[in-house]
Amino acid sequence: MSSIPSYMTTIYLNRSPEGEVKTDFGLPDSTFKVIKETVRELKDGELLVKNLYLANDADQRIYIRKDISTGAFEEDHVKENHPMICHAVAKVLKSKDSKVKVGELIACTSHWGDYAIIPGKNVETGVIGALGLPITSYVDTIGGTGLYAYFSIFNAFKLKKEHVLVVGGAAGATGSIIVQLAKNVIGAKKVIGIAGGKSKCDFVKSLGADACIDYKDPNFAEKMKRALGRDGECDVYFDGIGGKILEEMFLLTKKNGTIIAGGSVSGYNDADKAKINNWDLITSRSLHIRGFVLDDYIKGAVKAVLWISWWVKRGKINPKLIDLVDLTRDNQAIERIPAIWNRLFTGQKKGGKLITKLADS
């Protein structure tokens, strides 16, 4: 049994960033700060957890904006001088929630830090191990990432074998699962990824994609047309990028085709980079734009998890294609959390889900 700590070290939001995140500590404009605090007594309904694995997600950048208008991310808004939130796999050390037992491994919404006090309602999955999948799957393949991928192509757009799909951000956490679902489960006619650099494009092709185009290539549009084949157009484009790439894909999506708006990572640090200048093509090409958030389909989560687990066991989806950063032997582990997360925006991330490991148990 893990001992109960007297103190915990937590990363707080110091200053909402304007532009790029500043991961160095101790400066007036540092985005984050490190706080060591006493572990207080739990209130009714609360849990004390030890964080084992932290999920690194691009939409956490949205959480720390100065202001968030009403919408999907408002509930997750992190204000200055509050702990940074994240999805995590954690071990329950103390519980004042009758539904959660001490010693359980849970998937939950937690904080950046070695330990965290969270409300019991933050528990997302309390049966870790029951499906026989790697622990990291609970913040990836069968966590929010996998569910988002599943619902994007089975619900937001009902992808069929006869369709041609292009996946923006195909080397990322969600994109890599979409590629596997589309090609290995549905058997779509053609699946083409978009990623940054040869190594990431090679990674996407290893997932089963028919081709992957480097968005940094000055001849991106021409190479995408060639990959698409005779028609030079796709039936559906999953967009996780926004900006210039989305502009190009407006022209490369069939008339009456669908664009799934899954994110716009190009603009998370600089909103201008996510802007598009050919919005009129939606009208002239009769395009369908489908925006959605996971909460739209959360009632179907159990069914989705069971299907994804089945496909994992049949070898259709690989749950081990992750970028795991192991800090279990690092004395400065907590202080390194922000810089590791920021790899999502600096091009340093490898293929798959970026996960930070803090402890074994």
Side-chain angles (χ1 to χ4, degrees):
M1 183 68 65
S2 299
S3 59
I4 304 302
S6 299
Y7 298 92
M8 58 185 183
T9 305
T10 309
I11 304 296
Y12 277 62
L13 179 63
N14 178 58
R15 183 171 179 178
S16 299
E18 296 179 9
E20 293 186 0
V21 169
K22 295 179 175 60
T23 59
D24 290 336
F25 297 111
L27 303 174
D29 60 348
S30 293
T31 303
F32 304 106
K33 59 185 176 182
V34 184
I35 302 292
K36 185 174 182 179
E37 51 197 330
T38 302
V39 175
R40 62 171 174 79
E41 288 297 316
L42 298 183
K43 300 175 183 176
D44 287 343
E46 289 186 328
L47 313 171
L48 171 65
V49 301
K50 180 180 182 179
N51 291 319
L52 307 182
Y53 296 89
L54 306 182
N56 295 283
D57 297 303
D59 57 15
Q60 288 172 276
R61 179 61 182 82
I62 302 175
Y63 300 169
I64 58 176
R65 287 178 178 171
K66 191 77 172 178
D67 298 298
I68 296 181
S69 57
T70 55
F73 297 103
E74 186 177 23
E75 184 177 342
D76 296 321
H77 185 200
V78 179
K79 298 178 181 178
E80 292 179 356
N81 299 310
H82 284 72
M84 182 65 180
I85 66 172
C86 65
H87 294 289
V89 171
K91 184 175 184 178
V92 180
L93 301 185
K94 290 182 69 175
S95 175
K96 293 200 73 173
D97 184 321
S98 60
K99 298 185 292 295
V100 185
K101 296 180 181 179
V102 170
E104 285 186 338
L105 292 183
I106 59 171
C108 61
T109 300
S110 187
H111 303 140
W112 276 356
D114 48 6
Y115 303 94
I117 294 175
I118 62 172
K121 67 178 183 179
N122 280 19
V123 176
E124 298 158 5
T125 305
V127 290
I128 286 183
L131 297 172
L133 301 181
I135 291 178
T136 53
S137 298
Y138 290 83
V139 287
D140 180 29
T141 318
I142 56 172
T145 301
L147 293 176
Y148 197 92
Y150 176 96
F151 290 123
S152 70
I153 61 173
F154 285 104
N155 293 75
F157 182 85
K158 293 176 173 59
L159 192 72
K160 306 295 183 184
K161 287 186 177 182
E162 62 268 23
H163 290 142
V164 174
L165 167 70
V166 174
V167 182
T174 301
S176 61
I177 296 178
I178 289 176
V179 169
Q180 293 176 85
L181 289 173
K183 201 64 188 178
N184 304 338
V185 175
I186 296 172
K189 179 181 178 181
K190 187 174 285 188
V191 178
I192 300 170
I194 299 173
K198 183 180 184 304
S199 63
K200 288 185 180 179
C201 282
D202 288 345
F203 169 76
V204 172
K205 287 186 283 187
S206 77
L207 302 176
D210 297 279
C212 186
I213 312 302
D214 185 351
Y215 68 80
K216 300 176 183 178
D217 193 311
N219 299 312
F220 169 83
E222 183 59 36
K223 290 187 176 181
M224 178 59 76
K225 287 180 184 178
R226 198 180 310 148
L228 287 166
R230 183 175 60 184
D231 294 336
E233 297 173 324
C234 65
D235 297 289
V236 59
Y237 169 54
F238 177 89
D239 179 50
I241 303 172
K244 296 296 182 183
I245 299 302
L246 180 55
E247 285 186 347
E248 294 284 4
M249 292 309 302
F250 276 161
L251 290 164
L252 296 170
T253 301
K254 290 179 180 178
K255 189 169 184 179
N256 291 302
T258 298
I259 293 176
I260 301 175
S264 53
V265 69
S266 65
Y268 286 174
N269 280 332
D270 183 351
D272 287 340
K273 292 182 178 179
K275 292 179 179 178
I276 55 174
N277 298 306
N278 56 353
W279 195 250
D280 57 304
L281 289 175
I282 295 174
T283 302
S284 63
R285 295 178 66 80
S286 301
L287 297 175
H288 302 270
I289 308 296
R290 184 72 170 89
F292 79 104
V293 292
L294 190 55
D295 283 351
D296 293 343
Y297 302 103
I298 202 64
K299 290 181 179 179
V302 173
K303 177 182 176 182
V305 165
L306 292 175
W307 271 116
I308 294 170
S309 301
W310 171 246
W311 292 323
V312 167
K313 292 174 182 178
R314 297 194 66 194
K316 302 292 186 180
I317 302 172
N318 189 338
K320 298 181 180 179
L321 296 175
I322 59 175
D323 182 2
L324 181 68
V325 182
D326 189 345
L327 301 181
T328 55
R329 298 181 183 277
D330 193 323
N331 292 330
Q332 299 296 314
I334 306 307
E335 289 80 358
R336 290 190 60 198
I337 291 172
I340 291 169
W341 167 74
N342 202 42
R343 293 181 187 181
L344 294 168
F345 309 101
T346 61
Q348 296 172 289
K349 190 185 84 67
K350 300 175 184 177
K353 179 84 173 189
L354 178 60
I355 299 174
T356 305
K357 182 178 181 180
L358 296 179
D360 290 311
S361 61

